[in-house]
Amino acid sequence: MKSFSVPMQAVVLGAALAVTTGGLQAKTFKWTSASDIPTWDIHSQNNALANGIHAAVYESLVYYNSRTFKPEPLLATGWNQVSPTQLRLTLRTGVKFHDGSDFTADDAVFSLQRAMAPTSNFTPYIQGIDRVVKVNNNTIDIFTKGPNPVLVNQLTELRMMSKAWAEKNNSTAPKDIKTQDENFAHRNAMGTGPFVLKEWAQDQKMVLTRHPNWWGKGSTETNVTEVVYTPVKATATRMAALLSGEVDFVLDPSPQDLPRLRQDGNLKVMDGVENRTIFFGMDQHRDELVGSNIKGKNPLKDVRVRKALYQAIDMNAIARVTLRGLGQPTGAIIAPQVTGWTEGVHQRYPFDVAAAQKLLADAGYKDGFEVDFACPNNRYINDEAICQAVTAMWARVGVKAKLRTLPLSTYFPMIQRYEASIYMLGWGVPTFDAMYSLQSLVRSVGQGGDGNYNVGRYSNPKMDQIIDRAKVETDLLIRNRLLTEALELSNADVSHLPLHNQIIPWAMKKSINVVHRADNRLDWRLITVN
């Protein structure tokens, strides 16, 4: 039985005049980044920024320790692998939702089942789960279809919602992010977490305030009682807000401003490698690309064309000039911290314009072709600038990419409707296990969440076979070899065009203390404002 008697680190959320941990005066924490979250529905859109913010209001059964990145108890106090396919979790007692109602096993079962709903985008986290059963008011069992060595890691992103609240407000099913339809949970929130959602005007402002009856009150480092988040798309405006003192923290400072920020005596910059890889996906499903001058066929179905696009990208130049060192060029779709990664899968095909031109000619496109190219403009480090640079590089080999850029809120629903021929995506790996990426990105699109972010609809039966075998393999050495084999096949097929692993800087006032995390999110329990 993995049980933990040491109390979890938690957030103290006393009122402004209350005594706070370590004698620190209670404070407001003001921060910004380029984009807003797409929804407050915790199972609707698997978006890293949203997941991190949601964690302030909605809690999971298990969460990562921000310093060790080992799973530790949160709303569960311990777990026991009863059998290879049965995980029993003991739930924390005395936990109250923000409306004062008790958190029970009924809520835990409901929340996990909700994450398994057809409109949920959290299928990578419920991968392998067969059913969830209430044992008693404080205990649940999760039964899996086969052994799953990363199930506990998956639970870190499955947050708990009140069953009664969801039923009362017609929100038992997650909002379908691909449509404009809304449920109550899209704009409203009611969790067990240290903060309560007070205000959210999408793309304008979000305010969270302390939950006075939070179960973890009194065992933490933070003195934050209010969080104010203001999304600001314009980089110059974000940086001006930090320099003027209007905000305390910028999640995504501009690379070109970092030298100046590091020299400012009132500011500091923290850097860390993120577990996120940036890549391009390609429509390998349609028989004819929408908006292309090539009629009757899809050039992107030809591996020679995909490899030509790959070898036409000078990723070292992009890392040096566009990213200013905040990117590690890679040939893999996962970062080095992720199980399954090897130096071999990390190696890129060489940048070679002549080789790219020959590949295009061999494929029957010596004069190139036109293709739709979609990118976000406020999600990843210099995302729009990267896509502009790549557009120019592809033009050198005759591929005329018609670049269009969109904000996060409309970009992700668009690509999930399969409306982009070539698209940019950044994929973090919260489980630190390659199965999370393989299941979502290269498994053929199918039932049960297979290929839920395989929006280019790449499909290879051999890949599916390897992934499905790895899902039930109990020998960890064999399982890791299978993960690496799948990544090697992804490289050989050029299923995607890998670009780089992000290196994340955070900029803040010197009075702010935070712990930098590889998933690029703040731990609300550990923030102090001096």
Side-chain angles (χ1 to χ4, degrees), residues 40-348:
W40 264 101
D41 190 318
I42 56 171
H43 301 125
S44 175
Q45 175 63 291
N46 183 18
N47 172 276
L49 177 67
N51 292 347
I53 292 175
H54 288 168
V57 175
Y58 288 99
E59 294 174 302
S60 50
L61 300 174
V62 180
Y63 204 54
Y64 285 123
N65 180 297
S66 289
R67 294 188 171 98
T68 67
F69 256 90
K70 301 293 185 184
E72 61 184 14
L74 199 56
L75 291 184
T77 57
W79 49 87
N80 177 27
Q81 195 73 50
V82 178
S83 75
T85 58
Q86 180 184 359
L87 181 72
R88 174 161 291 181
L89 294 107
T90 304
L91 305 183
R92 190 176 299 276
T93 57
V95 174
K96 300 285 187 182
F97 283 103
H98 296 160
D99 65 357
S101 61
D102 292 326
F103 166 70
T104 70
D106 291 322
D107 303 302
V109 171
F110 165 77
S111 299
L112 295 175
Q113 290 175 337
R114 192 176 188 269
M116 300 168 71
T119 53
S120 169
N121 256 282
F122 279 70
T123 47
Y125 303 107
I126 55 90
Q127 183 270 315
I129 295 179
D130 182 42
R131 67 191 190 277
V132 185
V133 177
K134 174 182 175 180
V135 177
N136 57 48
N137 216 35
N138 299 306
T139 311
I140 65 169
D141 282 344
I142 300 177
F143 292 91
T144 55
K145 298 169 186 174
N148 184 347
V150 293
L151 178 58
V152 172
N153 299 60
Q154 291 173 203
L155 294 176
T156 61
E157 288 290 68
L158 295 173
R159 281 164 278 280
M160 299 289 106
M161 180 182 286
S162 163
K163 179 182 180 183
W165 181 83
E167 290 175 342
K168 176 184 176 182
N169 294 294
N170 298 317
S171 295
T172 54
K175 167 183 161 51
D176 188 343
I177 203 68
K178 298 187 290 296
T179 74
Q180 297 297 315
D181 297 337
E182 294 186 8
N183 60 10
F184 188 78
H186 171 60
R187 296 187 182 275
N188 299 275
M190 209 278 289
T192 62
F195 287 92
V196 177
L197 176 62
K198 178 182 177 182
E199 174 188 347
W200 183 47
Q202 192 166 20
D203 296 321
Q204 297 177 50
K205 185 181 182 181
M206 179 192 304
V207 179
L208 309 177
T209 57
R210 55 100 175 177
H211 174 201
N213 298 315
W214 183 53
W215 63 268
K217 182 178 178 181
S219 57
T220 185
E221 300 177 21
T222 190
N223 62 337
V224 174
T225 57
E226 181 184 56
V227 176
V228 178
Y229 176 68
T230 308
V232 179
K233 179 181 175 183
T235 302
T237 307
R238 289 200 306 281
M239 304 319 298
L242 179 65
L243 291 165
S244 69
E246 291 179 47
V247 300
D248 303 314
F249 179 96
V250 178
L251 187 71
D252 49 2
S254 59
Q256 59 267 30
D257 285 325
L258 290 177
R260 177 168 60 129
L261 297 178
R262 294 185 200 278
Q263 293 173 4
D264 191 314
N266 298 315
L267 303 175
K268 60 184 177 182
V269 177
M270 297 177 67
D271 302 278
V273 178
E274 190 182 17
N275 63 346
R276 179 181 307 279
T277 303
I278 310 296
F279 51 81
F280 295 134
M282 298 158 285
D283 182 346
Q284 298 165 59
H285 176 76
R286 285 187 175 87
D287 292 327
E288 180 179 304
L289 291 179
V290 176
S292 176
N293 62 332
I294 303 298
K295 303 304 177 186
K297 57 182 176 178
N298 178 354
L300 300 177
K301 285 189 173 187
D302 193 318
V303 67
R304 293 170 295 185
V305 172
R306 300 196 298 273
K307 190 174 180 183
L309 293 173
Y310 189 139
Q311 293 199 257
I313 299 173
D314 186 348
M315 192 56 227
N316 287 332
I318 290 174
R320 184 178 67 254
V321 178
T322 310
L323 290 169
R324 296 175 183 252
L326 297 179
Q328 175 194 51
T330 185
I333 58 172
I334 61 168
Q337 307 100 312
V338 179
T339 299
W341 183 93
T342 65
E343 283 286 354
V345 300
H346 175 66
Q347 296 303 310
R348 288 183 61 81

